[in-house]
């Protein structure tokens, strides 16, 4: 197992390099960019602002490789290229990015007067709060529910709970979020929970108990929306996994020996059936941390990493795009390794030494 862990750790930098290379190439071919974004803003300014910006620059109508650069001073375009680092060849920019990222230096945001690290550190607590609480509650609901559905397969409980699971998987998460806002956040009916943010404006002046209460008060609706939209697949996965194990010969042998159903279920079946559930933990956590929380962060005005990445893409803020991508990919690779290690801890029969 030690050799497997070392091998996987050595593969992480290679995998990150491949991910960055592919996305860097896609970004270079994608239309638009930070220079075009600034040029569009420039062309949209009023006449007075333009005259102030170009008072010391002679207007030039020469052609430019940037769309929308016509009528823009050539010196301004060159200055923007230098500012954003586009005055250098592509391979030099990529090599510099790799060297900087090896030191976890992600540079500065193009449009915010902060480093990418500062933005990530500021936004990380929001995404981590949403992701961890949602994942924890999903597992606490889905695993017991899935086990009970497997034990009572075909019963009325199984049928009606399946209806609820199907509804939960069919309705998008953002619709649940809107429903909760309309009914419980002052939208139309009740005003029991706040609509925006993760804490109140007077959070700093609250006692430690008041801060805890205020935090859970704000996070209740976002986490509820994510849990409702995310527990369905894990519930059915748990049920099917347990049903498969319950039909195997070793279960029949254990029953023939007179073992109780609880002893069979939790002493023998549980360990084997939970392997596939454990395997899905990294992907679920990554989904809850980043992908799944994007719309929730937008709807509830929560400044998390998902919203940060979305804003960076719309404004072509490349340092933030690649910085968040790097962090997401690194976390995903580490969590996948943790999942494999957990496999071995749950079932010692699994051996990764030959992989």
């Amino acid at each position: 197992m030690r050799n497997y862990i070392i091998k996987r750790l050595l593969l992480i930098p290679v995998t990150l390099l491949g991910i960055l290379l592919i996305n860097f190439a896609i970004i270079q071919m994608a239309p638009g960019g930070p220079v075009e974004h600034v040029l569009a803003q420039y062309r949209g300014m009023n006449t007075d602002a333009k005259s102030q910006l170009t008072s010391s620059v002679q207007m030039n109508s020469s052609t430019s490789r940037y769309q929308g650069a016509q009528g823009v001073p050539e010196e301004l375009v060159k200055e923007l290229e230098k500012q954003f680092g586009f005055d250098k060849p592509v391979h030099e920019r990529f090599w510099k990015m790799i060297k900087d990222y090896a030191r976890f230096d992600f540079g500065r945001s193009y449009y915010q007067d902060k480093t990418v690290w500062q933005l990530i550190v500021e936004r990380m607590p929001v995404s981590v709060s949403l992701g961890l609480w949602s994942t924890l509650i999903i597992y606490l609901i889905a695993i017991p529910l899935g086990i009970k559905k497997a034990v009572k397969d075909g019963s009325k409980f199984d049928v009606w709970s399946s209806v609820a699971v199907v509804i939960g998987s069919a309705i998008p998460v953002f619709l649940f979020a809107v429903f909760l806002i309309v009914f419980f956040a002052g939208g139309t009916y009740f005003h029991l929970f706040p609509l925006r943010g993760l804490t109140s404006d007077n959070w700093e002046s609250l006692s430690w108990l008041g801060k805890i209460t205020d935090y859970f008060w704000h996070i209740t609706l976002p986490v509820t929306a994510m849990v409702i939209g995310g527990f369905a697949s894990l519930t059915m996965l748990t049920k099917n996994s347990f049903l498969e194990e319950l039909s195997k010969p070793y279960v029949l042998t254990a029953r023939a020996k007179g073992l109780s159903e609880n002893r069979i279920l939790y002493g023998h079946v549980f360990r084997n059936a939970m392997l596939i559930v454990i395997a899905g933990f990294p992907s679920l956590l990554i989904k809850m941390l980043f992908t799944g929380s994007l719309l929730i962060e937008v709807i509830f005005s929560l400044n998390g990493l998902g919203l940060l990445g979305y804003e960076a893409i719309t404004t072509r803020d490349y340092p933030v795009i690649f910085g968040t991508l790097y962090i997401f990919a690194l976390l995903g690779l580490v969590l996948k390794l943790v999942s494999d290690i957990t496999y071995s801890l749950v079932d010692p029969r699994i051996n990764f030494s030959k992989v």
Side-chain angles (χ1 to χ4, degrees):
M1 187 64 184
R2 182 179 61 183
N3 293 336
Y4 173 76
I5 295 175
I6 294 174
K7 185 188 300 182
R8 288 291 300 274
L9 290 174
L10 293 176
L11 282 174
I12 287 178
V14 179
T15 307
L16 287 173
L17 178 62
I19 292 173
L20 290 175
L21 177 60
I22 293 173
N23 285 273
F24 186 84
I26 293 174
I27 287 294
Q28 301 307 308
M29 294 184 292
V35 176
E36 286 89 340
H37 182 75
V38 175
L39 289 175
Q41 290 181 327
Y42 170 84
R43 292 177 64 84
M45 290 191 301
N46 57 47
T47 305
D48 294 337
K50 280 187 177 181
S51 61
Q52 292 176 5
L53 183 63
T54 61
S55 58
S56 60
V57 183
Q58 182 180 0
M59 299 295 287
N60 193 320
S61 60
S62 60
T63 59
S64 174
R65 64 190 179 94
Y66 295 107
Q67 188 177 21
Q70 185 177 4
V72 177
E74 184 179 0
E75 290 82 354
L76 176 60
V77 175
K78 291 181 178 179
E79 182 63 29
L80 290 174
E81 288 181 334
K82 183 178 180 181
Q83 176 183 343
F84 294 124
F86 291 102
D87 58 332
K88 299 178 182 178
V90 174
H91 67 278
E92 289 187 14
R93 300 205 307 268
F94 180 72
W95 178 242
K96 182 180 184 303
M97 183 180 71
I98 294 302
K99 290 192 295 183
D100 291 341
Y101 280 28
R103 305 191 304 268
F104 286 86
D105 179 9
F106 303 129
R108 300 184 68 86
S109 169
Y110 286 159
Y111 309 110
Q112 304 183 56
D113 189 23
K114 294 180 181 179
T115 64
V116 177
W117 256 125
Q118 288 176 318
L119 292 173
I120 291 175
V121 170
E122 288 177 2
R123 305 290 187 96
M124 181 71 80
V126 176
S127 295
V128 170
S129 295
L130 291 176
L132 288 181
W133 283 115
S134 300
T135 304
L136 175 62
I137 296 173
I138 285 173
Y139 267 79
L140 289 177
I141 294 175
I143 292 178
L145 180 60
I147 294 174
K148 189 170 183 179
K149 283 175 65 62
V151 173
K152 296 183 176 294
D153 184 43
S155 65
K156 290 184 178 180
F157 171 82
D158 181 43
V159 172
W160 286 108
S161 60
S162 295
V163 172
V165 168
V166 170
I167 294 175
S169 61
I171 301 178
V173 175
F174 73 90
L175 284 183
F176 281 120
V178 173
F179 171 83
L180 292 174
I181 288 174
V182 170
F183 275 85
F184 302 109
T188 302
Y189 298 93
F190 306 102
H191 195 178
L192 303 178
F193 297 95
L195 179 60
R196 303 170 58 88
L198 202 60
T199 56
S200 299
D201 294 335
N202 64 336
W203 191 80
E204 293 293 340
S205 62
L206 298 175
S207 63
W208 66 270
L209 182 59
K211 290 181 178 180
I212 294 175
T213 304
D214 183 75
Y215 166 75
F216 282 107
W217 183 46
H218 280 77
I219 207 173
T220 297
L221 292 187
V223 169
T224 301
M226 294 177 67
V227 169
I228 293 175
F231 84 99
S233 59
L234 184 61
T235 299
M236 298 309 298
L237 178 66
T238 304
K239 176 191 174 181
N240 294 333
S241 179
F242 271 81
L243 282 177
E244 182 181 356
E245 292 297 323
L246 287 171
S247 63
K248 290 184 176 179
Y250 75 89
V251 175
L252 299 177
T253 302
R255 285 172 176 166
K257 291 182 178 180
L259 296 180
S260 64
E261 286 297 319
N262 285 339
R263 177 72 180 276
I264 295 172
L265 188 63
Y266 296 104
H268 299 278
V269 174
F270 185 83
R271 183 179 65 181
N272 298 327
M274 286 299 295
L275 286 175
I276 191 172
V277 178
I278 293 173
F281 176 78
S283 60
L284 177 62
L285 183 57
I286 288 293
K287 177 183 177 182
M288 291 294 106
L289 280 173
F290 310 116
T291 310
S293 63
L294 172 58
L295 290 175
I296 297 299
E297 290 176 6
V298 173
I299 292 172
F300 289 97
S301 300
L302 302 173
N303 290 322
L305 287 177
L307 184 58
L308 175 65
Y310 174 76
E311 293 172 345
I313 292 173
T314 57
T315 60
R316 300 297 195 271
D317 197 344
Y318 290 163
V320 177
I321 292 175
F322 285 109
T324 53
L325 172 68
Y326 186 86
I327 295 297
F328 294 171
L330 181 60
L331 284 175
L333 293 171
V334 171
L335 286 174
K336 186 64 176 68
L337 177 58
V338 171
S339 174
D340 291 342
I341 296 174
T342 309
Y343 257 130
S344 297
L345 295 177
V346 173
D347 191 347
R349 296 172 299 175
I350 296 178
N351 185 10
F352 290 102
S353 59
K354 295 182 181 181
V355 177

